[in-house]
PDB file of all heavy atoms in Angstrom:
ATOM      1  N   ALA A 272       5.635  35.966 137.481  1.00 95.00           N
ATOM      2  CA  ALA A 272       6.482  37.068 138.039  1.00 95.00           C
ATOM      3  C   ALA A 272       6.546  37.004 139.563  1.00 95.00           C
ATOM      4  O   ALA A 272       7.570  37.195 140.190  1.00 95.00           O
ATOM      5  CB  ALA A 272       5.969  38.433 137.509  1.00 95.00           C
ATOM      6  N   LEU A 273       5.390  36.704 140.215  1.00 94.00           N
ATOM      7  CA  LEU A 273       5.306  36.614 141.653  1.00 94.00           C
ATOM      8  C   LEU A 273       6.141  35.435 142.085  1.00 94.00           C
ATOM      9  O   LEU A 273       6.851  35.507 143.141  1.00 94.00           O
ATOM     10  CB  LEU A 273       3.868  36.479 142.149  1.00 94.00           C
ATOM     11  CG  LEU A 273       3.082  37.741 142.141  1.00 94.00           C
ATOM     12  CD1 LEU A 273       1.642  37.402 142.510  1.00 94.00           C
ATOM     13  CD2 LEU A 273       3.626  38.745 143.154  1.00 94.00           C
ATOM     14  N   LEU A 274       6.112  34.344 141.420  1.00 97.00           N
ATOM     15  CA  LEU A 274       6.845  33.171 141.786  1.00 97.00           C
ATOM     16  C   LEU A 274       8.353  33.434 141.724  1.00 97.00           C
ATOM     17  O   LEU A 274       9.094  33.054 142.570  1.00 97.00           O
ATOM     18  CB  LEU A 274       6.484  31.985 140.875  1.00 97.00           C
ATOM     19  CG  LEU A 274       7.214  30.633 141.092  1.00 97.00           C
ATOM     20  CD1 LEU A 274       6.858  30.086 142.475  1.00 97.00           C
ATOM     21  CD2 LEU A 274       6.888  29.661 140.052  1.00 97.00           C
ATOM     22  N   ILE A 275       8.774  34.059 140.581  1.00 96.00           N
ATOM     23  CA  ILE A 275      10.151  34.341 140.472  1.00 96.00           C
ATOM     24  C   ILE A 275      10.639  35.331 141.507  1.00 96.00           C
ATOM     25  O   ILE A 275      11.743  35.193 142.112  1.00 96.00           O
ATOM     26  CB  ILE A 275      10.428  34.961 138.979  1.00 96.00           C
ATOM     27  CG1 ILE A 275      10.268  33.808 138.030  1.00 96.00           C
ATOM     28  CG2 ILE A 275      11.834  35.514 138.935  1.00 96.00           C
ATOM     29  CD1 ILE A 275      10.252  34.276 136.571  1.00 96.00           C
ATOM     30  N   ALA A 276       9.792  36.369 141.850  1.00 95.00           N
ATOM     31  CA  ALA A 276      10.169  37.335 142.847  1.00 95.00           C
ATOM     32  C   ALA A 276      10.271  36.652 144.212  1.00 95.00           C
ATOM     33  O   ALA A 276      11.175  36.948 144.979  1.00 95.00           O
ATOM     34  CB  ALA A 276       9.163  38.419 142.894  1.00 95.00           C
ATOM     35  N   THR A 277       9.367  35.699 144.503  1.00 96.00           N
ATOM     36  CA  THR A 277       9.436  34.999 145.754  1.00 96.00           C
ATOM     37  C   THR A 277      10.738  34.142 145.854  1.00 96.00           C
ATOM     38  O   THR A 277      11.392  34.147 146.886  1.00 96.00           O
ATOM     39  CB  THR A 277       8.153  34.075 145.908  1.00 96.00           C
ATOM     40  OG1 THR A 277       7.020  34.917 145.843  1.00 96.00           O
ATOM     41  CG2 THR A 277       8.187  33.346 147.241  1.00 96.00           C
ATOM     42  N   ILE A 278      11.032  33.422 144.779  1.00 97.00           N
ATOM     43  CA  ILE A 278      12.232  32.619 144.725  1.00 97.00           C
ATOM     44  C   ILE A 278      13.454  33.506 144.912  1.00 97.00           C
ATOM     45  O   ILE A 278      14.359  33.183 145.722  1.00 97.00           O
ATOM     46  CB  ILE A 278      12.322  31.782 143.444  1.00 97.00           C
ATOM     47  CG1 ILE A 278      11.240  30.715 143.445  1.00 97.00           C
ATOM     48  CG2 ILE A 278      13.701  31.196 143.258  1.00 97.00           C
ATOM     49  CD1 ILE A 278      11.105  30.082 142.086  1.00 97.00           C
ATOM     50  N   ASN A 279      13.552  34.664 144.251  1.00 96.00           N
ATOM     51  CA  ASN A 279      14.676  35.514 144.445  1.00 96.00           C
ATOM     52  C   ASN A 279      14.724  36.155 145.806  1.00 96.00           C
ATOM     53  O   ASN A 279      15.847  36.326 146.332  1.00 96.00           O
ATOM     54  CB  ASN A 279      14.599  36.654 143.372  1.00 96.00           C
ATOM     55  CG  ASN A 279      14.984  36.226 142.022  1.00 96.00           C
ATOM     56  OD1 ASN A 279      15.633  35.176 141.846  1.00 96.00           O
ATOM     57  ND2 ASN A 279      14.525  36.975 140.984  1.00 96.00           N
ATOM     58  N   SER A 280      13.588  36.338 146.415  1.00 95.00           N
ATOM     59  CA  SER A 280      13.588  36.878 147.732  1.00 95.00           C
ATOM     60  C   SER A 280      14.130  35.864 148.794  1.00 95.00           C
ATOM     61  O   SER A 280      14.911  36.178 149.702  1.00 95.00           O
ATOM     62  CB  SER A 280      12.180  37.290 148.180  1.00 95.00           C
ATOM     63  OG  SER A 280      12.150  37.774 149.462  1.00 95.00           O
ATOM     64  N   VAL A 281      13.719  34.640 148.617  1.00 96.00           N
ATOM     65  CA  VAL A 281      14.228  33.524 149.506  1.00 96.00           C
ATOM     66  C   VAL A 281      15.687  33.322 149.327  1.00 96.00           C
ATOM     67  O   VAL A 281      16.409  33.073 150.340  1.00 96.00           O
ATOM     68  CB  VAL A 281      13.411  32.238 149.196  1.00 96.00           C
ATOM     69  CG1 VAL A 281      14.060  31.039 149.871  1.00 96.00           C
ATOM     70  CG2 VAL A 281      11.964  32.368 149.620  1.00 96.00           C
ATOM     71  N   LYS A 282      16.181  33.487 148.106  1.00 96.00           N
ATOM     72  CA  LYS A 282      17.631  33.380 147.844  1.00 96.00           C
ATOM     73  C   LYS A 282      18.424  34.594 148.365  1.00 96.00           C
ATOM     74  O   LYS A 282      19.663  34.512 148.345  1.00 96.00           O
ATOM     75  CB  LYS A 282      17.915  33.221 146.333  1.00 96.00           C
ATOM     76  CG  LYS A 282      17.473  31.865 145.794  1.00 96.00           C
ATOM     77  CD  LYS A 282      17.828  31.787 144.342  1.00 96.00           C
ATOM     78  CE  LYS A 282      17.436  30.500 143.717  1.00 96.00           C
ATOM     79  NZ  LYS A 282      17.741  30.389 142.261  1.00 96.00           N
ATOM     80  N   GLY A 283      17.697  35.625 148.762  1.00 95.00           N
ATOM     81  CA  GLY A 283      18.395  36.796 149.315  1.00 95.00           C
ATOM     82  C   GLY A 283      18.889  37.739 148.279  1.00 95.00           C
ATOM     83  O   GLY A 283      19.858  38.471 148.464  1.00 95.00           O
ATOM     84  N   LYS A 284      18.364  37.752 147.086  1.00 94.00           N
ATOM     85  CA  LYS A 284      18.852  38.573 145.958  1.00 94.00           C
ATOM     86  C   LYS A 284      18.400  40.032 146.094  1.00 94.00           C
ATOM     87  O   LYS A 284      18.881  40.900 145.412  1.00 94.00           O
ATOM     88  CB  LYS A 284      18.430  38.015 144.638  1.00 94.00           C
ATOM     89  CG  LYS A 284      19.167  36.747 144.340  1.00 94.00           C
ATOM     90  CD  LYS A 284      18.903  36.351 142.917  1.00 94.00           C
ATOM     91  CE  LYS A 284      19.750  35.047 142.577  1.00 94.00           C
ATOM     92  NZ  LYS A 284      19.590  34.622 141.237  1.00 94.00           N
ATOM     93  N   TYR A 285      17.397  40.340 146.964  1.00 94.00           N
ATOM     94  CA  TYR A 285      16.925  41.696 147.143  1.00 94.00           C
ATOM     95  C   TYR A 285      17.485  42.219 148.439  1.00 94.00           C
ATOM     96  O   TYR A 285      17.525  41.585 149.463  1.00 94.00           O
ATOM     97  CB  TYR A 285      15.385  41.677 147.219  1.00 94.00           C
ATOM     98  CG  TYR A 285      14.758  41.202 145.930  1.00 94.00           C
ATOM     99  CD1 TYR A 285      13.814  40.211 145.921  1.00 94.00           C
ATOM    100  CD2 TYR A 285      15.060  41.744 144.669  1.00 94.00           C
ATOM    101  CE1 TYR A 285      13.168  39.783 144.770  1.00 94.00           C
ATOM    102  CE2 TYR A 285      14.465  41.345 143.514  1.00 94.00           C
ATOM    103  CZ  TYR A 285      13.555  40.323 143.578  1.00 94.00           C
ATOM    104  OH  TYR A 285      12.929  39.917 142.436  1.00 94.00           O
ATOM    105  N   ASN A 286      17.880  43.497 148.378  1.00 93.00           N
ATOM    106  CA  ASN A 286      18.383  44.210 149.556  1.00 93.00           C
ATOM    107  C   ASN A 286      17.894  45.695 149.442  1.00 93.00           C
ATOM    108  O   ASN A 286      17.103  46.017 148.562  1.00 93.00           O
ATOM    109  CB  ASN A 286      19.901  44.132 149.764  1.00 93.00           C
ATOM    110  CG  ASN A 286      20.616  44.594 148.526  1.00 93.00           C
ATOM    111  OD1 ASN A 286      20.191  45.466 147.863  1.00 93.00           O
ATOM    112  ND2 ASN A 286      21.766  43.966 148.264  1.00 93.00           N
ATOM    113  N   SER A 287      18.375  46.510 150.357  1.00 92.00           N
ATOM    114  CA  SER A 287      17.874  47.904 150.370  1.00 92.00           C
ATOM    115  C   SER A 287      18.347  48.716 149.168  1.00 92.00           C
ATOM    116  O   SER A 287      17.766  49.739 148.843  1.00 92.00           O
ATOM    117  CB  SER A 287      18.339  48.621 151.647  1.00 92.00           C
ATOM    118  OG  SER A 287      19.704  48.632 151.711  1.00 92.00           O
ATOM    119  N   GLU A 288      19.328  48.232 148.442  1.00 94.00           N
ATOM    120  CA  GLU A 288      19.786  48.936 147.228  1.00 94.00           C
ATOM    121  C   GLU A 288      19.395  48.242 145.912  1.00 94.00           C
ATOM    122  O   GLU A 288      19.416  48.848 144.870  1.00 94.00           O
ATOM    123  CB  GLU A 288      21.334  48.982 147.269  1.00 94.00           C
ATOM    124  CG  GLU A 288      21.858  49.933 148.368  1.00 94.00           C
ATOM    125  CD  GLU A 288      23.106  49.385 149.000  1.00 94.00           C
ATOM    126  OE1 GLU A 288      23.621  48.342 148.539  1.00 94.00           O
ATOM    127  OE2 GLU A 288      23.536  49.938 150.052  1.00 94.00           O
ATOM    128  N   ASN A 289      18.962  47.036 145.964  1.00 94.00           N
ATOM    129  CA  ASN A 289      18.630  46.280 144.787  1.00 94.00           C
ATOM    130  C   ASN A 289      17.219  45.571 145.027  1.00 94.00           C
ATOM    131  O   ASN A 289      17.192  44.462 145.528  1.00 94.00           O
ATOM    132  CB  ASN A 289      19.667  45.208 144.493  1.00 94.00           C
ATOM    133  CG  ASN A 289      19.328  44.453 143.220  1.00 94.00           C
ATOM    134  OD1 ASN A 289      18.513  44.843 142.418  1.00 94.00           O
ATOM    135  ND2 ASN A 289      19.923  43.268 143.088  1.00 94.00           N
ATOM    136  N   TYR A 290      16.205  46.230 144.652  1.00 93.00           N
ATOM    137  CA  TYR A 290      14.844  45.669 144.765  1.00 93.00           C
ATOM    138  C   TYR A 290      13.993  45.990 143.582  1.00 93.00           C
ATOM    139  O   TYR A 290      12.766  45.950 143.591  1.00 93.00           O
ATOM    140  CB  TYR A 290      14.196  46.142 146.064  1.00 93.00           C
ATOM    141  CG  TYR A 290      14.065  47.659 146.161  1.00 93.00           C
ATOM    142  CD1 TYR A 290      12.945  48.362 145.636  1.00 93.00           C
ATOM    143  CD2 TYR A 290      15.064  48.385 146.764  1.00 93.00           C
ATOM    144  CE1 TYR A 290      12.887  49.684 145.761  1.00 93.00           C
ATOM    145  CE2 TYR A 290      15.007  49.779 146.860  1.00 93.00           C
ATOM    146  CZ  TYR A 290      13.882  50.419 146.429  1.00 93.00           C
ATOM    147  OH  TYR A 290      13.773  51.795 146.518  1.00 93.00           O
ATOM    148  N   LEU A 291      14.635  46.302 142.448  1.00 95.00           N
ATOM    149  CA  LEU A 291      13.897  46.694 141.229  1.00 95.00           C
ATOM    150  C   LEU A 291      12.948  45.536 140.751  1.00 95.00           C
ATOM    151  O   LEU A 291      11.822  45.824 140.390  1.00 95.00           O
ATOM    152  CB  LEU A 291      14.850  47.036 140.090  1.00 95.00           C
ATOM    153  CG  LEU A 291      14.239  47.480 138.772  1.00 95.00           C
ATOM    154  CD1 LEU A 291      13.313  48.739 138.949  1.00 95.00           C
ATOM    155  CD2 LEU A 291      15.268  47.678 137.708  1.00 95.00           C
ATOM    156  N   GLY A 292      13.415  44.267 140.753  1.00 93.00           N
ATOM    157  CA  GLY A 292      12.579  43.160 140.354  1.00 93.00           C
ATOM    158  C   GLY A 292      11.312  43.100 141.159  1.00 93.00           C
ATOM    159  O   GLY A 292      10.259  42.801 140.670  1.00 93.00           O
ATOM    160  N   LEU A 293      11.489  43.261 142.437  1.00 93.00           N
ATOM    161  CA  LEU A 293      10.337  43.196 143.389  1.00 93.00           C
ATOM    162  C   LEU A 293       9.400  44.336 143.170  1.00 93.00           C
ATOM    163  O   LEU A 293       8.139  44.160 143.130  1.00 93.00           O
ATOM    164  CB  LEU A 293      10.852  43.201 144.834  1.00 93.00           C
ATOM    165  CG  LEU A 293       9.888  42.883 145.885  1.00 93.00           C
ATOM    166  CD1 LEU A 293       9.286  41.478 145.735  1.00 93.00           C
ATOM    167  CD2 LEU A 293      10.557  43.009 147.248  1.00 93.00           C
ATOM    168  N   GLU A 294       9.932  45.521 142.904  1.00 95.00           N
ATOM    169  CA  GLU A 294       9.116  46.663 142.662  1.00 95.00           C
ATOM    170  C   GLU A 294       8.283  46.544 141.338  1.00 95.00           C
ATOM    171  O   GLU A 294       7.163  46.875 141.269  1.00 95.00           O
ATOM    172  CB  GLU A 294       9.955  47.950 142.634  1.00 95.00           C
ATOM    173  CG  GLU A 294       9.172  49.225 142.616  1.00 95.00           C
ATOM    174  CD  GLU A 294      10.009  50.456 142.820  1.00 95.00           C
ATOM    175  OE1 GLU A 294      11.239  50.302 142.964  1.00 95.00           O
ATOM    176  OE2 GLU A 294       9.496  51.506 142.655  1.00 95.00           O
ATOM    177  N   LEU A 295       9.042  46.074 140.298  1.00 95.00           N
ATOM    178  CA  LEU A 295       8.290  45.889 139.042  1.00 95.00           C
ATOM    179  C   LEU A 295       7.240  44.849 139.050  1.00 95.00           C
ATOM    180  O   LEU A 295       6.125  45.025 138.507  1.00 95.00           O
ATOM    181  CB  LEU A 295       9.314  45.506 137.932  1.00 95.00           C
ATOM    182  CG  LEU A 295      10.278  46.575 137.505  1.00 95.00           C
ATOM    183  CD1 LEU A 295      11.338  46.079 136.554  1.00 95.00           C
ATOM    184  CD2 LEU A 295       9.541  47.773 136.904  1.00 95.00           C
ATOM    185  N   THR A 296       7.488  43.766 139.814  1.00 95.00           N
ATOM    186  CA  THR A 296       6.486  42.660 139.999  1.00 95.00           C
ATOM    187  C   THR A 296       5.256  43.232 140.729  1.00 95.00           C
ATOM    188  O   THR A 296       4.115  42.991 140.355  1.00 95.00           O
ATOM    189  CB  THR A 296       7.100  41.503 140.740  1.00 95.00           C
ATOM    190  OG1 THR A 296       8.185  40.999 139.979  1.00 95.00           O
ATOM    191  CG2 THR A 296       6.004  40.408 140.942  1.00 95.00           C
ATOM    192  N   SER A 297       5.504  44.038 141.761  1.00 94.00           N
ATOM    193  CA  SER A 297       4.385  44.630 142.542  1.00 94.00           C
ATOM    194  C   SER A 297       3.571  45.591 141.689  1.00 94.00           C
ATOM    195  O   SER A 297       2.352  45.558 141.701  1.00 94.00           O
ATOM    196  CB  SER A 297       5.018  45.345 143.733  1.00 94.00           C
ATOM    197  OG  SER A 297       3.958  46.047 144.399  1.00 94.00           O
ATOM    198  N   THR A 298       4.237  46.384 140.887  1.00 95.00           N
ATOM    199  CA  THR A 298       3.539  47.338 140.024  1.00 95.00           C
ATOM    200  C   THR A 298       2.716  46.628 138.973  1.00 95.00           C
ATOM    201  O   THR A 298       1.540  46.954 138.757  1.00 95.00           O
ATOM    202  CB  THR A 298       4.533  48.252 139.304  1.00 95.00           C
ATOM    203  OG1 THR A 298       5.286  48.975 140.301  1.00 95.00           O
ATOM    204  CG2 THR A 298       3.854  49.276 138.408  1.00 95.00           C
ATOM    205  N   TYR A 299       3.263  45.565 138.405  1.00 94.00           N
ATOM    206  CA  TYR A 299       2.516  44.792 137.415  1.00 94.00           C
ATOM    207  C   TYR A 299       1.319  44.102 138.000  1.00 94.00           C
ATOM    208  O   TYR A 299       0.178  44.129 137.491  1.00 94.00           O
ATOM    209  CB  TYR A 299       3.434  43.743 136.766  1.00 94.00           C
ATOM    210  CG  TYR A 299       2.795  42.962 135.694  1.00 94.00           C
ATOM    211  CD1 TYR A 299       2.560  43.463 134.398  1.00 94.00           C
ATOM    212  CD2 TYR A 299       2.440  41.593 135.932  1.00 94.00           C
ATOM    213  CE1 TYR A 299       1.943  42.734 133.394  1.00 94.00           C
ATOM    214  CE2 TYR A 299       1.788  40.868 134.923  1.00 94.00           C
ATOM    215  CZ  TYR A 299       1.599  41.457 133.683  1.00 94.00           C
ATOM    216  OH  TYR A 299       0.977  40.703 132.688  1.00 94.00           O
ATOM    217  N   TRP A 300       1.512  43.518 139.207  1.00 92.00           N
ATOM    218  CA  TRP A 300       0.367  42.804 139.911  1.00 92.00           C
ATOM    219  C   TRP A 300      -0.806  43.788 140.216  1.00 92.00           C
ATOM    220  O   TRP A 300      -1.902  43.477 140.027  1.00 92.00           O
ATOM    221  CB  TRP A 300       0.872  42.117 141.125  1.00 92.00           C
ATOM    222  CG  TRP A 300      -0.110  41.200 141.691  1.00 92.00           C
ATOM    223  CD1 TRP A 300      -0.873  41.408 142.841  1.00 92.00           C
ATOM    224  CD2 TRP A 300      -0.576  39.957 141.197  1.00 92.00           C
ATOM    225  NE1 TRP A 300      -1.724  40.395 143.089  1.00 92.00           N
ATOM    226  CE2 TRP A 300      -1.561  39.503 142.043  1.00 92.00           C
ATOM    227  CE3 TRP A 300      -0.252  39.233 140.035  1.00 92.00           C
ATOM    228  CZ2 TRP A 300      -2.214  38.261 141.854  1.00 92.00           C
ATOM    229  CZ3 TRP A 300      -0.872  37.983 139.828  1.00 92.00           C
ATOM    230  CH2 TRP A 300      -1.880  37.571 140.710  1.00 92.00           C
ATOM    231  N   HIS A 301      -0.384  45.001 140.701  1.00 93.00           N
ATOM    232  CA  HIS A 301      -1.430  45.953 141.027  1.00 93.00           C
ATOM    233  C   HIS A 301      -2.122  46.481 139.772  1.00 93.00           C
ATOM    234  O   HIS A 301      -3.308  46.826 139.812  1.00 93.00           O
ATOM    235  CB  HIS A 301      -0.851  47.099 141.851  1.00 93.00           C
ATOM    236  CG  HIS A 301      -0.600  46.707 143.307  1.00 93.00           C
ATOM    237  ND1 HIS A 301       0.586  46.166 143.639  1.00 93.00           N
ATOM    238  CD2 HIS A 301      -1.439  46.663 144.351  1.00 93.00           C
ATOM    239  CE1 HIS A 301       0.545  45.872 144.952  1.00 93.00           C
ATOM    240  NE2 HIS A 301      -0.684  46.197 145.389  1.00 93.00           N
ATOM    241  N   PHE A 302      -1.364  46.655 138.679  1.00 90.00           N
ATOM    242  CA  PHE A 302      -1.968  46.958 137.395  1.00 90.00           C
ATOM    243  C   PHE A 302      -3.057  45.968 136.966  1.00 90.00           C
ATOM    244  O   PHE A 302      -4.129  46.335 136.543  1.00 90.00           O
ATOM    245  CB  PHE A 302      -0.895  47.092 136.300  1.00 90.00           C
ATOM    246  CG  PHE A 302      -1.471  47.119 134.929  1.00 90.00           C
ATOM    247  CD1 PHE A 302      -2.031  48.227 134.420  1.00 90.00           C
ATOM    248  CD2 PHE A 302      -1.364  45.974 134.096  1.00 90.00           C
ATOM    249  CE1 PHE A 302      -2.556  48.276 133.140  1.00 90.00           C
ATOM    250  CE2 PHE A 302      -1.878  46.003 132.792  1.00 90.00           C
ATOM    251  CZ  PHE A 302      -2.470  47.176 132.331  1.00 90.00           C
ATOM    252  N   LEU A 303      -2.745  44.716 137.196  1.00 88.00           N
ATOM    253  CA  LEU A 303      -3.752  43.635 136.825  1.00 88.00           C
ATOM    254  C   LEU A 303      -5.041  43.804 137.667  1.00 88.00           C
ATOM    255  O   LEU A 303      -6.090  43.620 137.178  1.00 88.00           O
ATOM    256  CB  LEU A 303      -3.177  42.235 137.077  1.00 88.00           C
ATOM    257  CG  LEU A 303      -2.197  41.740 136.030  1.00 88.00           C
ATOM    258  CD1 LEU A 303      -1.687  40.371 136.385  1.00 88.00           C
ATOM    259  CD2 LEU A 303      -2.804  41.700 134.636  1.00 88.00           C
ATOM    260  N   GLY A 304      -4.861  44.115 138.980  1.00 88.00           N
ATOM    261  CA  GLY A 304      -5.999  44.307 139.832  1.00 88.00           C
ATOM    262  C   GLY A 304      -6.891  45.495 139.359  1.00 88.00           C
ATOM    263  O   GLY A 304      -8.103  45.395 139.302  1.00 88.00           O
ATOM    264  N   VAL A 305      -6.254  46.607 138.980  1.00 90.00           N
ATOM    265  CA  VAL A 305      -6.989  47.776 138.497  1.00 90.00           C
ATOM    266  C   VAL A 305      -7.642  47.446 137.167  1.00 90.00           C
ATOM    267  O   VAL A 305      -8.792  47.797 136.936  1.00 90.00           O
ATOM    268  CB  VAL A 305      -6.057  49.007 138.436  1.00 90.00           C
ATOM    269  CG1 VAL A 305      -6.700  50.105 137.691  1.00 90.00           C
ATOM    270  CG2 VAL A 305      -5.597  49.415 139.754  1.00 90.00           C
ATOM    271  N   LEU A 306      -6.964  46.754 136.324  1.00 84.00           N
ATOM    272  CA  LEU A 306      -7.497  46.329 135.031  1.00 84.00           C
ATOM    273  C   LEU A 306      -8.675  45.423 135.181  1.00 84.00           C
ATOM    274  O   LEU A 306      -9.698  45.591 134.493  1.00 84.00           O
ATOM    275  CB  LEU A 306      -6.415  45.676 134.170  1.00 84.00           C
ATOM    276  CG  LEU A 306      -6.804  45.285 132.762  1.00 84.00           C
ATOM    277  CD1 LEU A 306      -7.174  46.527 131.947  1.00 84.00           C
ATOM    278  CD2 LEU A 306      -5.698  44.499 132.054  1.00 84.00           C
ATOM    279  N   TRP A 307      -8.630  44.513 136.137  1.00 83.00           N
ATOM    280  CA  TRP A 307      -9.772  43.597 136.359  1.00 83.00           C
ATOM    281  C   TRP A 307     -10.974  44.391 136.797  1.00 83.00           C
ATOM    282  O   TRP A 307     -12.112  44.142 136.352  1.00 83.00           O
ATOM    283  CB  TRP A 307      -9.374  42.542 137.396  1.00 83.00           C
ATOM    284  CG  TRP A 307     -10.473  41.655 137.679  1.00 83.00           C
ATOM    285  CD1 TRP A 307     -11.149  41.475 138.854  1.00 83.00           C
ATOM    286  CD2 TRP A 307     -11.042  40.659 136.799  1.00 83.00           C
ATOM    287  NE1 TRP A 307     -12.102  40.513 138.744  1.00 83.00           N
ATOM    288  CE2 TRP A 307     -12.075  40.024 137.511  1.00 83.00           C
ATOM    289  CE3 TRP A 307     -10.767  40.262 135.515  1.00 83.00           C
ATOM    290  CZ2 TRP A 307     -12.827  38.964 136.934  1.00 83.00           C
ATOM    291  CZ3 TRP A 307     -11.532  39.285 134.887  1.00 83.00           C
ATOM    292  CH2 TRP A 307     -12.538  38.630 135.646  1.00 83.00           C
ATOM    293  N   LEU A 308     -10.816  45.381 137.725  1.00 88.00           N
ATOM    294  CA  LEU A 308     -11.945  46.233 138.144  1.00 88.00           C
ATOM    295  C   LEU A 308     -12.487  47.042 137.016  1.00 88.00           C
ATOM    296  O   LEU A 308     -13.716  47.143 136.852  1.00 88.00           O
ATOM    297  CB  LEU A 308     -11.475  47.150 139.289  1.00 88.00           C
ATOM    298  CG  LEU A 308     -11.194  46.456 140.610  1.00 88.00           C
ATOM    299  CD1 LEU A 308     -10.586  47.488 141.573  1.00 88.00           C
ATOM    300  CD2 LEU A 308     -12.448  45.816 141.187  1.00 88.00           C
TER     301      LEU A 308
END
């Protein structure tokens, strides 16, 4: 998910109105950190 979000960010697919994929990836990644703890 981080790789896909990075690729989409480099391609310029995220802007101030469309960043849902980035937000979901961030939420999932932080969930993994909390789960690991």
Side-chain angles (χ1 to χ4, degrees):
L273 283 174
L274 179 66
I275 291 170
T277 301
I278 290 169
N279 285 340
S280 178
V281 169
K282 288 181 178 179
K284 292 190 176 183
Y285 298 125
N286 55 34
S287 62
E288 292 140 6
N289 180 20
Y290 57 90
L291 181 62
L293 192 59
E294 189 173 357
L295 290 174
T296 300
S297 174
T298 301
Y299 183 75
W300 189 253
H301 284 92
F302 165 74
L303 285 179
V305 171
L306 183 62
W307 180 247
L308 290 173

